[in-house]
Amino acid sequence: MTTSTIAPEQVNRIVSNQHHDPFEVLGSHLVEQEGKNIWAVRAYLPNASAVYVVVPQERKEYAMERVHHPHFFECTIEVEELNNYQLRIQEGEHERVIYDPYAFRSPRLTNFDLHLFGEGNHHRIYEKLGAHLTEIDGIKGVYFAVWAPSARNVSLLGDFNHWDGRKHQMRKGHTGVWELFIPELGPGENYKYEIKNFDGHIYEKSDPYGFQQEPRPKTASIVTDLNAYPWGDEQWMETRRNRDPLGQPISVYEVHLGSWLHGNSAKPAKLPDGTEEPVVIASELNPGARFLTYRELAAKLIPYVKDMGYTHIELLPIAEHPFDGSWGYQVTGYYAPTSRFGTPGDFMYFVDQCHLNGIGVLVDWVPGHFPKDGHGLAFFDGTHLYEHADPRKGEHKEWGTLVFNYSRNEVRNFLVANALFWFDKYHIDGIRVDAVASMLYLDYCRKDGEWVANEYGGRENLEAADFLRQVNHNIFSYFPGVLSIAEESTSWPMVSWPTYTGGLGFNLKWNMGWMHDMLDYFSMDPWFRQFHQNNVTFSMWYNHSENFMLALSHDEVVHGKSNIIGKMPGDRWQKLANVRALFTYMFAHPGKKTMFMSMEFGQWSEWNVWADLEWGLLQHEPHEQLRVFFREINSVYRSEPALYSQDFAREGFEWIDCSDNRHSVVSFVRRAKDSDEFVVVVCNFTPQPHSHYRIGVPEKGFYTELFNSDAREYGGSNMGNLGGKWTDDWSLHNRPYSLDLCLPPLGVLILKLDRIKTAQSLG
């Protein structure tokens, strides 16, 4: 008969799941009994009918006996060392042999890890918290760690313990991180954390640092190895590291993967090993369709984007989210690419294939707010852990979401490391930070009395601004050559200025003012445009205050706003001509470019997250011609350094004439960096053609018509200048020479001095 070495109250704390450190009770302990040092082995095993300790080095078993509770077992063993023992457990007619999780006592997080996390500066905390495949004392398994400082207890739930929170109780460290190593677990295990607060309430939570989740509507995290994928993009990564992206052409195709194209639900995708990938139905509203996988999207989307000439794909948030209709902007799994389209390895394959085809990958990132879903971050440890407790700071009532508490070091660390994570593990080339204005202003979408001023009495969220500086400083420190883009809709100063100058540290900012001005301008009848020339020219007054990206995004084609073509006045021909004129002006205007999927072929209806894009329109000639137009304007843009190399330098742009509001015509010059190359752009924003329209130009010679948005192959009237024009020795617009041009209706011309032809003629 074994004499118990443990007090009943200690056993009761384990049985009732109220012990903050079960290692104090469970596992192996060196104790003194009858003047001898012996090993006491204890285990709490609900459902067990008999348990034996297997000591491999002795090739011997020791029967355990029940003490103080029917499912609490203990035995004593007289051996010098007790390493890697096993438990043979009988549960009715079933038997299993396991390594005891409580025999692996050494925590894997060092004090230095915890110190850095506590001060908000552990930039790779995702390699410590979460679920990690590891090996301890020669035994492979999974190490789990989660931050829940106010929890009374935390347990692991999973298929491996039949979702019974009594079986794998975790240990709490002094910083509020709970941890446990479970031997012999491997990739693919589903798990959650069972968190209890001091009132006894239980919360089942997905892992905030989980690398994979089950396809919705399920919410468990999945143990995943992120280091197994064989990347092939070394050359791309090295080139990116040594290149300034702001001097390169950037033409971004913004995509929502779930609605670009669907597959047939009856035809699941084949994985490389020949097995079938689980089918994820796209929507209950569309039961005959399924989501394409990341690998299928690589085979379909990448060739399309490459053929169209875009330099980057921007993905609406692909971090895990529960509701398709949120478009990904209400994230519950910040470290997990959504399982709608496959596994983390599948997403790595997608990014890798983009790079191998010369396409960069941008990802929308949402650090401003998160949803209230029970399995997510909200009220994570029974307290307001990730969000502010005060709803005047911690809730976006308009969106029904919660606001991160940027003043808490560990929360800030969670987000900073998350941004770095996507660059590190998935090789992405940039982030577009969503809703930056909602982060920067304490009174954003709040009425008087519904917000709290900062310490100086102002409306600025100083903690959020500091957080953004920290994010951007670290991104560019670790990953030179990438992009960090702010969707910031106000006049907050120095958004795209470096942090060492006091800026927020982004290297690009969406130009929301240009977007609103141009959509207002193009939506009006052309006759009225003469009274609104300022809409076209105003952007150049402030263009050099920031590094701007011109964006016509998904937000402009939903919620009753109509798609781009539907915003245009006139008959169908005029609508298409207006679209071509708008986008040609956009590509000629200083700034990088972003446009949303479906704009390139003139989809009439608004974007519908539940359906495919209207690809059937391409069987109609006008829509196919518009697609050809976009392919060609991308080609011209990428081939002419004058259109991109000095987007943010005053030397890169000069007006020729911006005052001809009577004809709604503007003309300007774009110049290349470190070169005498330049292009001349002339825009006619009315349906009235002009057969003899003269503009001044800086140099004498023959100007080739590089691009004409009114060309026949694009569906235009084919008015133009027969390939180009020679200058006349007439000074105009303060320039020594001029061109007599034919301006097509609702057309934009891009012309370039042909120096070879000019030299041959003059020489």
Side-chain angles (χ1 to χ4, degrees), residues 603-638:
Q603 178 166 310
W604 289 94
S605 64
E606 290 188 339
W607 170 48
N608 181 356
V609 69
W610 309 109
D612 289 348
L613 301 185
E614 296 177 354
W615 295 108
L617 291 173
L618 288 173
Q619 65 185 308
H620 303 292
E621 187 177 31
H623 295 277
E624 173 60 23
Q625 289 172 326
L626 184 62
R627 192 181 70 84
V628 171
F629 158 82
F630 274 100
R631 184 171 60 198
E632 293 302 311
I633 191 62
N634 266 320
S635 176
V636 170
Y637 170 66
R638 296 179 67 168

Side-chain angles (χ1 to χ4, degrees), residues 64-78:
M64 302 186 77
E65 298 184 4
R66 296 179 174 88
V67 293
H68 306 311
H69 189 274
H71 295 134
F72 193 94
F73 298 85
E74 183 181 27
C75 74
T76 55
I77 305 172
E78 291 189 39

Side-chain angles (χ1 to χ4, degrees), residues 667-681:
S667 52
F668 54 90
V669 175
R670 294 294 310 278
R671 295 187 181 275
K673 185 177 182 181
D674 301 328
S675 168
D676 58 0
E677 295 292 315
F678 65 91
V679 297
V680 171
V681 181

Side-chain angles (χ1 to χ4, degrees), residues 146 242 355:
V146 63
N242 293 289
H355 290 172

Side-chain angles (χ1 to χ4, degrees), residues 227-273:
N227 299 315
Y229 181 79
W231 288 95
D233 63 349
E234 295 85 359
Q235 183 176 348
W236 171 277
M237 299 292 281
E238 181 63 18
T239 300
R240 186 188 77 182
R241 188 175 69 85
N242 293 289
R243 186 171 62 184
D244 176 11
L246 300 187
Q248 306 301 315
I250 296 178
S251 174
V252 180
Y253 187 63
E254 186 187 30
V255 179
H256 177 260
L257 293 180
S259 57
W260 185 76
L261 185 68
H262 290 117
N264 189 314
S265 63
K267 298 177 180 179
K270 291 284 186 180
L271 294 175
D273 62 3

